[in-house]
Amino acid sequence: PNSKTTKAATNGLININTAAQAELESLPGIGPATAQKIIAYRRSTPFQTIEDLDNVSGIGPSKMNSLRGLISVK
């Protein structure tokens, strides 16, 4: 079991609409700067689908592919 699991994680997936910065940084390829961009983006526009993450600066197709099975928007 993962001791870092919080209420933002559902079924092992990290909810990109509610995850704290540290949870976002636990994702592959997401560092402090990108985590802050994700948080800033969702403040103005909550994510409707995981594909919306592609709208965040610094998230490209290859990063989206590595995140796809790890995130949710529930």
Side-chain angles (χ1 to χ4, degrees), residues 45-72:
T45 310
F47 296 102
Q48 300 298 312
T49 68
I50 60 173
E51 282 74 25
D52 289 346
L53 188 59
D54 196 33
N55 297 328
V56 176
S57 173
I59 306 284
S62 62
K63 199 170 287 185
M64 273 300 300
N65 284 338
S66 66
L67 297 173
R68 199 170 301 280
L70 304 173
I71 60 176
S72 74

